[in-house]
Amino acid sequence: LVFILVLAATILVALGLFKLRFDYNFEKFFPADDEETLFFKQHRAKFESDNDFLLIAIEHKQGIFNLPFLNKVDQLTKELNEKVPHVLLVASITNQNEILILPGGIKVENPYIHFNSKLLKQDSTRIYNSKELINSLVSKDGKSLCIFIRHKDYIVKKESDVMLAKMNSIVDKYNFEAVHIAGRTVGQKLYVEKMIYEMIFFLCLSAVLIVIFLIIAFRSFWGIFIPLFVILLSTVWVIGLMGWFDEPINILLVTLPCIMFVVGMSDVIHLVSKYLDALREDHSKLDAIKITLKEVGFSTFVTAVTTSLGFFTLYFVNVQPIQVFGIVAGIGVFIAFVITMLLLPVLLYLFPSPLFIAEKRNENVWSVYLRKWFIFVLRKRKIILATYIVICAVSLIGLSFMKTNNFLMDDLRADEPLKQDFNYLDKHYGGIRPFEVAVTLKDSTLNLWDLEVLEEMEKVEHYLETIYGAEVKNSLVGTLKVVNRSAHGGNPAEYKLPTTQRELKKYRRAIRGINQGKYLRILLDENERVSRINGNFPDIGNHAIAKKNEEFKRFTDGLALKGKLEFKVTGTAHLFDKNMRYLSVNLVEGLSFEIVLVALIMGFLYKSIRMMVISMIPNLIPLLVISGIMGFCGVDLKISTAIIFTIALGIAIDDTIHILGKFKFEGLKGKSKNYALKTAYLTTGKAMILTSLVLCSGFFMLVFSSFNGTFYMGLLLCITLFVALITELTLLPVLIFMFYNPKRKG
């Protein structure tokens, strides 16, 4: 009855798989409930999104001022503008004009490219004298030009896929030497496609890995089918429920099938191993199941609690995708435990006992080697303690080198075409990071069109371009300089602010008339009290940018209009950086909370502060070791590497719980400390080694991911759990033997 009910419920839950969605909205990585996030959203509402655009860089290695090449680019520009859906604006040097204001106020539009071979040299000179075009629509080296595409704000994936498919089909037919395309929608499309592929890939790879380990461990169809069936049902439940609750798979949750398989397998191996031991002692199937649940069931429950805690503490990280990952994975562990405890005893009862139970040779081999290792560990206990002290000291040195850092394209491998395209644009077009400074007028007696205000803004722009390293693309000051140059017949020397308030008023009227006033709304809010300095910046990493922002703040604090005119760095990239700076604090809070909770659980179970400390030491050392390795190897602390600490602690302590659970159980039988420790070590040792190998191998599979973050998560978790196994087999028995003296009854 239980089997039929669970199976029927699973079929119902599995229907949720058809509702499953994949999502890569990087704005969800902004700090939640943060005043800077709120400020940016309010700022963006006044203007436009700073990240809804595409850049198409087209190379021509002999130089872009080649008439056939420019004709092809012009035709491409027209097609993109006319045929690609959701596109609002397409700009290239082939369709842009220089506005000249002649005496008498006559406006003349002079194309930057005349498509005349005799005028090409003159056109190129004029373009390279136009500062606003360099590193914007043409590269500084003259080997490529860039088409800027402004598309619909906050475009959803379905629309962006249609837009990109049409755009790519148009671009491909022109057969340019090399084309580099970058933008949020391109990244979103690639990430979602890779997430779908990798989720299926890891699901299949996990199943293959589990089958291999089950064959090695149990050598029978019985030993393969039952554990695999239980784990597969648990995975279906977790992912199916995500579909029913409309929770999309994000870049972190791609690893969920792998996590469910390896974590679920850990419990199953401990339970099945104990069941087989009971059968070898000539117990009936029913008695063997009862003994298994009595001796291992509670320990399995505690491991489910501690592993879930490891995931749940990710809620402390103030980033929504990490919080969702922690909650979903934590609930998933509990679902796996419930299904295992419901279904595994039923399947063990329904299936005939495995035929190989009579063969005790394999079990004897395990017992012989574990016994030898146990004696060796206790004999060398002082050397083992000294070794771990040295390891901790070296790890602390490595920890001091660890720093928080991230790049926008961090998750993509160096050979990924999209990353290469981003790197090209980063190098030749002033960077791919959106750069935004909000300029707010605080003094009601001043106006953004006042000359003294504009001169102050000009100082800031000069600092941003010469010292900070940004490429300013849109600003009120830059627009006024272009208009001033236009008013002087296009003379490059007049690319500067007007010198009188009278000229400013005239230019103000001219700018307000551009595109029926829509252009001005890109630069100023409706009340003309807030402006923006918008552009691009090279992706030099969070660590370096944080220092530049500090220096920029010191510079603006020293301006004459401080308190009257405020300059504040904001934007999508800035907020993404900020959550990385919060990450260290969030990580420490979450990890500290988890350590305290797990320690209290262990203390409650043993009613001993000394045992509480003993149980935590072997599980904290692996975290210290992996921190040292990261520091020495230059692996930065970022989202993907930070979460391994809480996950690893929650999983690693499982073996401690199992060995201490057996130790306590033997003690309650009246056995001496040494006998109880030896029995616990020998009976749980095989399951500990097998589960740790499954866990390490399972997480090691993640190194096959094309996402760097997933790669490092898998590699570092694998190392951490392997170190945890070694400490459980060496340090834990030494600490119990040397420092724990249970109270004797009677």
Side-chain angles (χ1 to χ4, degrees), residues 369-408:
Y369 281 106
L370 284 170
R371 187 177 291 107
K372 287 181 179 179
W373 184 249
F374 179 73
I375 294 169
F376 172 81
V377 165
L378 293 188
R379 283 178 178 173
K380 304 293 182 181
R381 55 187 179 274
K382 291 182 180 179
I383 295 174
I384 288 172
L385 281 177
T387 301
Y388 276 103
I389 290 170
V390 172
I391 289 172
C392 290
V394 173
S395 298
L396 284 170
I397 295 171
L399 176 61
S400 66
F401 298 135
M402 192 165 63
K403 65 178 186 292
T404 301
N405 201 12
N406 75 287
F407 297 83
L408 287 185

Short mmCIF file of all heavy atoms in Angstrom, two decimals, residues 369-408:
data_model
loop_
_atom_site.label_atom_id
_atom_site.label_comp_id
_atom_site.label_asym_id
_atom_site.label_seq_id
_atom_site.Cartn_x
_atom_site.Cartn_y
_atom_site.Cartn_z
N TYR A 369 41.29 -4.44 7.05
CA TYR A 369 42.02 -3.19 6.78
C TYR A 369 41.60 -2.07 7.74
O TYR A 369 42.44 -1.27 8.17
CB TYR A 369 41.81 -2.76 5.33
CG TYR A 369 42.68 -3.55 4.38
CD1 TYR A 369 42.13 -4.54 3.57
CD2 TYR A 369 44.05 -3.32 4.29
CE1 TYR A 369 42.91 -5.28 2.70
CE2 TYR A 369 44.85 -4.05 3.42
CZ TYR A 369 44.28 -5.02 2.62
OH TYR A 369 45.07 -5.75 1.77
N LEU A 370 40.31 -1.99 8.04
CA LEU A 370 39.85 -0.95 8.97
C LEU A 370 40.41 -1.18 10.37
O LEU A 370 40.77 -0.22 11.07
CB LEU A 370 38.31 -0.92 9.01
CG LEU A 370 37.62 -0.27 7.81
CD1 LEU A 370 36.12 -0.52 7.85
CD2 LEU A 370 37.89 1.24 7.77
N ARG A 371 40.51 -2.45 10.77
CA ARG A 371 41.07 -2.75 12.09
C ARG A 371 42.54 -2.33 12.16
O ARG A 371 42.99 -1.74 13.14
CB ARG A 371 40.92 -4.24 12.38
CG ARG A 371 41.32 -4.62 13.81
CD ARG A 371 41.08 -6.09 14.09
NE ARG A 371 39.65 -6.40 14.13
CZ ARG A 371 38.99 -7.05 13.20
NH1 ARG A 371 39.63 -7.49 12.12
NH2 ARG A 371 37.69 -7.29 13.31
N LYS A 372 43.29 -2.65 11.10
CA LYS A 372 44.70 -2.27 11.06
C LYS A 372 44.86 -0.75 11.10
O LYS A 372 45.73 -0.21 11.78
CB LYS A 372 45.36 -2.82 9.79
CG LYS A 372 45.59 -4.32 9.80
CD LYS A 372 46.25 -4.78 8.51
CE LYS A 372 46.51 -6.28 8.54
NZ LYS A 372 47.15 -6.75 7.28
N TRP A 373 44.02 -0.07 10.34
CA TRP A 373 44.11 1.39 10.29
C TRP A 373 43.73 2.01 11.65
O TRP A 373 44.37 2.97 12.10
CB TRP A 373 43.19 1.92 9.19
CG TRP A 373 43.28 3.42 9.01
CD1 TRP A 373 42.32 4.32 9.31
CD2 TRP A 373 44.38 4.14 8.49
NE1 TRP A 373 42.76 5.59 9.01
CE2 TRP A 373 44.03 5.51 8.51
CE3 TRP A 373 45.64 3.78 8.01
CZ2 TRP A 373 44.88 6.51 8.07
CZ3 TRP A 373 46.50 4.77 7.57
CH2 TRP A 373 46.12 6.13 7.61
N PHE A 374 42.72 1.44 12.31
CA PHE A 374 42.29 1.94 13.62
C PHE A 374 43.43 1.81 14.64
O PHE A 374 43.71 2.76 15.39
CB PHE A 374 41.07 1.14 14.08
CG PHE A 374 40.54 1.54 15.43
CD1 PHE A 374 39.86 2.74 15.60
CD2 PHE A 374 40.75 0.73 16.54
CE1 PHE A 374 39.37 3.11 16.85
CE2 PHE A 374 40.26 1.09 17.79
CZ PHE A 374 39.58 2.29 17.95
N ILE A 375 44.10 0.67 14.65
CA ILE A 375 45.22 0.47 15.59
C ILE A 375 46.36 1.44 15.27
O ILE A 375 46.96 2.04 16.17
CB ILE A 375 45.71 -1.00 15.51
CG1 ILE A 375 44.61 -1.93 16.03
CG2 ILE A 375 47.00 -1.19 16.30
CD1 ILE A 375 44.87 -3.40 15.75
N PHE A 376 46.65 1.63 13.99
CA PHE A 376 47.71 2.54 13.58
C PHE A 376 47.42 3.97 14.03
O PHE A 376 48.29 4.67 14.55
CB PHE A 376 47.86 2.50 12.04
CG PHE A 376 48.79 3.55 11.50
CD1 PHE A 376 50.17 3.36 11.52
CD2 PHE A 376 48.28 4.73 10.95
CE1 PHE A 376 51.01 4.34 11.02
CE2 PHE A 376 49.13 5.71 10.45
CZ PHE A 376 50.50 5.51 10.48
N VAL A 377 46.17 4.42 13.85
CA VAL A 377 45.78 5.78 14.22
C VAL A 377 45.96 6.02 15.72
O VAL A 377 46.50 7.04 16.14
CB VAL A 377 44.31 6.04 13.79
CG1 VAL A 377 43.76 7.29 14.47
CG2 VAL A 377 44.22 6.18 12.28
N LEU A 378 45.52 5.08 16.54
CA LEU A 378 45.62 5.26 17.99
C LEU A 378 47.07 5.21 18.47
O LEU A 378 47.46 5.92 19.40
CB LEU A 378 44.78 4.21 18.72
CG LEU A 378 43.26 4.32 18.52
CD1 LEU A 378 42.53 3.36 19.44
CD2 LEU A 378 42.76 5.75 18.75
N ARG A 379 47.88 4.39 17.81
CA ARG A 379 49.29 4.33 18.20
C ARG A 379 50.04 5.61 17.83
O ARG A 379 50.97 6.01 18.54
CB ARG A 379 49.96 3.13 17.51
CG ARG A 379 49.63 1.79 18.15
CD ARG A 379 50.28 0.65 17.39
NE ARG A 379 50.00 -0.63 18.05
CZ ARG A 379 50.34 -1.82 17.51
NH1 ARG A 379 50.95 -1.86 16.33
NH2 ARG A 379 50.06 -2.93 18.16
N LYS A 380 49.67 6.23 16.74
CA LYS A 380 50.35 7.44 16.26
C LYS A 380 49.55 8.70 16.60
O LYS A 380 49.66 9.71 15.92
CB LYS A 380 50.54 7.36 14.74
CG LYS A 380 51.27 6.14 14.25
CD LYS A 380 52.73 6.13 14.68
CE LYS A 380 53.48 4.91 14.12
NZ LYS A 380 54.89 4.88 14.55
N ARG A 381 48.79 8.65 17.67
CA ARG A 381 47.86 9.75 17.95
C ARG A 381 48.57 11.09 18.17
O ARG A 381 48.07 12.14 17.75
CB ARG A 381 46.98 9.40 19.14
CG ARG A 381 47.70 9.03 20.42
CD ARG A 381 46.70 8.53 21.47
NE ARG A 381 47.32 8.14 22.72
CZ ARG A 381 47.82 6.93 22.95
NH1 ARG A 381 47.76 5.99 22.00
NH2 ARG A 381 48.36 6.63 24.12
N LYS A 382 49.71 11.11 18.82
CA LYS A 382 50.42 12.37 19.06
C LYS A 382 50.95 12.96 17.76
O LYS A 382 50.88 14.18 17.55
CB LYS A 382 51.55 12.15 20.06
CG LYS A 382 51.07 11.84 21.47
CD LYS A 382 52.23 11.69 22.43
CE LYS A 382 51.72 11.39 23.85
NZ LYS A 382 52.83 11.21 24.81
N ILE A 383 51.45 12.10 16.91
CA ILE A 383 51.94 12.57 15.59
C ILE A 383 50.78 13.13 14.78
O ILE A 383 50.90 14.16 14.10
CB ILE A 383 52.63 11.41 14.83
CG1 ILE A 383 53.88 10.97 15.58
CG2 ILE A 383 52.96 11.82 13.40
CD1 ILE A 383 54.55 9.75 14.99
N ILE A 384 49.63 12.45 14.84
CA ILE A 384 48.45 12.91 14.10
C ILE A 384 48.00 14.28 14.60
O ILE A 384 47.71 15.18 13.80
CB ILE A 384 47.31 11.87 14.22
CG1 ILE A 384 47.66 10.63 13.39
CG2 ILE A 384 45.98 12.46 13.77
CD1 ILE A 384 46.72 9.46 13.57
N LEU A 385 47.96 14.45 15.92
CA LEU A 385 47.58 15.76 16.47
C LEU A 385 48.53 16.85 16.03
O LEU A 385 48.11 17.94 15.62
CB LEU A 385 47.55 15.68 18.00
CG LEU A 385 46.31 15.06 18.66
CD1 LEU A 385 46.49 15.00 20.17
CD2 LEU A 385 45.06 15.84 18.31
N ALA A 386 49.84 16.57 16.10
CA ALA A 386 50.85 17.56 15.70
C ALA A 386 50.71 17.90 14.21
O ALA A 386 50.83 19.06 13.81
CB ALA A 386 52.24 17.02 15.99
N THR A 387 50.44 16.87 13.40
CA THR A 387 50.28 17.08 11.95
C THR A 387 49.12 18.02 11.66
O THR A 387 49.24 18.95 10.83
CB THR A 387 50.05 15.73 11.23
OG1 THR A 387 51.16 14.88 11.49
CG2 THR A 387 49.91 15.95 9.73
N TYR A 388 48.01 17.81 12.34
CA TYR A 388 46.84 18.67 12.10
C TYR A 388 47.07 20.10 12.60
O TYR A 388 46.55 21.05 12.01
CB TYR A 388 45.59 18.06 12.73
CG TYR A 388 44.94 17.03 11.85
CD1 TYR A 388 45.10 15.66 12.10
CD2 TYR A 388 44.21 17.41 10.73
CE1 TYR A 388 44.51 14.71 11.28
CE2 TYR A 388 43.63 16.45 9.90
CZ TYR A 388 43.79 15.11 10.17
OH TYR A 388 43.23 14.18 9.34
N ILE A 389 47.83 20.26 13.64
CA ILE A 389 48.17 21.62 14.12
C ILE A 389 48.98 22.36 13.06
O ILE A 389 48.73 23.53 12.77
CB ILE A 389 48.94 21.54 15.46
CG1 ILE A 389 48.01 21.07 16.58
CG2 ILE A 389 49.55 22.90 15.81
CD1 ILE A 389 48.71 20.74 17.88
N VAL A 390 49.94 21.66 12.46
CA VAL A 390 50.75 22.27 11.39
C VAL A 390 49.87 22.60 10.18
O VAL A 390 49.98 23.69 9.59
CB VAL A 390 51.90 21.32 10.97
CG1 VAL A 390 52.62 21.86 9.73
CG2 VAL A 390 52.88 21.14 12.12
N ILE A 391 49.00 21.66 9.81
CA ILE A 391 48.10 21.89 8.67
C ILE A 391 47.23 23.12 8.90
O ILE A 391 47.05 23.95 7.99
CB ILE A 391 47.22 20.64 8.43
CG1 ILE A 391 48.05 19.50 7.87
CG2 ILE A 391 46.06 20.97 7.47
CD1 ILE A 391 47.32 18.17 7.79
N CYS A 392 46.71 23.27 10.12
CA CYS A 392 45.86 24.43 10.44
C CYS A 392 46.66 25.72 10.37
O CYS A 392 46.16 26.74 9.86
CB CYS A 392 45.25 24.26 11.83
SG CYS A 392 44.00 22.97 11.92
N ALA A 393 47.89 25.70 10.85
CA ALA A 393 48.73 26.90 10.82
C ALA A 393 49.03 27.33 9.38
O ALA A 393 48.92 28.51 9.04
CB ALA A 393 50.03 26.64 11.58
N VAL A 394 49.37 26.37 8.53
CA VAL A 394 49.65 26.67 7.11
C VAL A 394 48.38 27.17 6.42
O VAL A 394 48.43 28.12 5.62
CB VAL A 394 50.21 25.42 6.40
CG1 VAL A 394 50.34 25.68 4.89
CG2 VAL A 394 51.56 25.02 6.99
N SER A 395 47.25 26.56 6.74
CA SER A 395 45.97 26.97 6.13
C SER A 395 45.61 28.39 6.52
O SER A 395 45.06 29.14 5.69
CB SER A 395 44.85 26.01 6.54
OG SER A 395 45.11 24.70 6.08
N LEU A 396 45.89 28.78 7.75
CA LEU A 396 45.62 30.16 8.19
C LEU A 396 46.44 31.16 7.40
O LEU A 396 45.96 32.25 7.08
CB LEU A 396 45.91 30.29 9.69
CG LEU A 396 44.85 29.70 10.63
CD1 LEU A 396 45.36 29.68 12.06
CD2 LEU A 396 43.54 30.49 10.54
N ILE A 397 47.68 30.79 7.08
CA ILE A 397 48.52 31.67 6.25
C ILE A 397 47.89 31.83 4.87
O ILE A 397 47.78 32.93 4.33
CB ILE A 397 49.95 31.10 6.14
CG1 ILE A 397 50.63 31.09 7.51
CG2 ILE A 397 50.78 31.92 5.14
CD1 ILE A 397 51.95 30.35 7.54
N GLY A 398 47.45 30.70 4.28
CA GLY A 398 46.80 30.77 2.97
C GLY A 398 45.51 31.57 3.01
O GLY A 398 45.21 32.33 2.08
N LEU A 399 44.76 31.43 4.11
CA LEU A 399 43.51 32.17 4.28
C LEU A 399 43.74 33.68 4.22
O LEU A 399 42.90 34.41 3.68
CB LEU A 399 42.87 31.79 5.61
CG LEU A 399 41.58 32.53 6.02
CD1 LEU A 399 40.48 32.29 4.99
CD2 LEU A 399 41.13 32.10 7.40
N SER A 400 44.88 34.13 4.71
CA SER A 400 45.17 35.57 4.71
C SER A 400 45.33 36.13 3.30
O SER A 400 45.22 37.33 3.08
CB SER A 400 46.44 35.86 5.53
OG SER A 400 47.58 35.28 4.90
N PHE A 401 45.59 35.25 2.31
CA PHE A 401 45.76 35.69 0.92
C PHE A 401 44.45 35.72 0.14
O PHE A 401 44.39 36.21 -0.98
CB PHE A 401 46.75 34.78 0.18
CG PHE A 401 48.14 34.78 0.74
CD1 PHE A 401 48.83 33.59 0.93
CD2 PHE A 401 48.75 35.95 1.11
CE1 PHE A 401 50.11 33.57 1.45
CE2 PHE A 401 50.04 35.96 1.63
CZ PHE A 401 50.72 34.77 1.81
N MET A 402 43.40 35.14 0.72
CA MET A 402 42.13 35.02 -0.01
C MET A 402 41.42 36.37 -0.08
O MET A 402 41.40 37.13 0.90
CB MET A 402 41.22 34.00 0.67
CG MET A 402 40.01 33.61 -0.17
SD MET A 402 39.17 32.11 0.44
CE MET A 402 38.64 32.64 2.05
N LYS A 403 40.86 36.70 -1.25
CA LYS A 403 40.15 37.97 -1.40
C LYS A 403 38.86 37.75 -2.19
O LYS A 403 38.69 36.77 -2.91
CB LYS A 403 41.03 39.01 -2.10
CG LYS A 403 41.41 38.71 -3.53
CD LYS A 403 42.24 39.85 -4.10
CE LYS A 403 42.54 39.67 -5.59
NZ LYS A 403 43.42 38.56 -5.89
N THR A 404 37.97 38.72 -2.03
CA THR A 404 36.70 38.69 -2.75
C THR A 404 36.87 39.41 -4.09
O THR A 404 37.37 40.53 -4.14
CB THR A 404 35.59 39.41 -1.94
OG1 THR A 404 35.46 38.76 -0.68
CG2 THR A 404 34.27 39.35 -2.67
N ASN A 405 36.46 38.77 -5.17
CA ASN A 405 36.60 39.40 -6.48
C ASN A 405 35.67 38.71 -7.47
O ASN A 405 35.28 37.55 -7.27
CB ASN A 405 38.04 39.31 -6.98
CG ASN A 405 38.36 40.36 -8.04
OD1 ASN A 405 37.59 41.30 -8.24
ND2 ASN A 405 39.48 40.20 -8.70
N ASN A 406 35.29 39.42 -8.52
CA ASN A 406 34.49 38.81 -9.58
C ASN A 406 34.58 39.64 -10.84
O ASN A 406 34.90 40.83 -10.81
CB ASN A 406 33.02 38.67 -9.16
CG ASN A 406 32.28 39.98 -9.19
OD1 ASN A 406 32.48 40.84 -8.34
ND2 ASN A 406 31.42 40.16 -10.18
N PHE A 407 34.30 38.99 -11.97
CA PHE A 407 34.24 39.65 -13.28
C PHE A 407 32.88 39.33 -13.88
O PHE A 407 32.25 38.32 -13.54
CB PHE A 407 35.35 39.15 -14.20
CG PHE A 407 36.74 39.46 -13.70
CD1 PHE A 407 37.36 38.65 -12.77
CD2 PHE A 407 37.43 40.56 -14.17
CE1 PHE A 407 38.63 38.92 -12.30
CE2 PHE A 407 38.70 40.86 -13.71
CZ PHE A 407 39.31 40.04 -12.77
N LEU A 408 32.42 40.18 -14.81
CA LEU A 408 31.09 39.98 -15.39
C LEU A 408 30.98 38.64 -16.12
O LEU A 408 29.98 37.96 -16.04
CB LEU A 408 30.75 41.12 -16.37
CG LEU A 408 30.42 42.48 -15.76
CD1 LEU A 408 30.00 43.45 -16.85
CD2 LEU A 408 29.33 42.37 -14.71
#
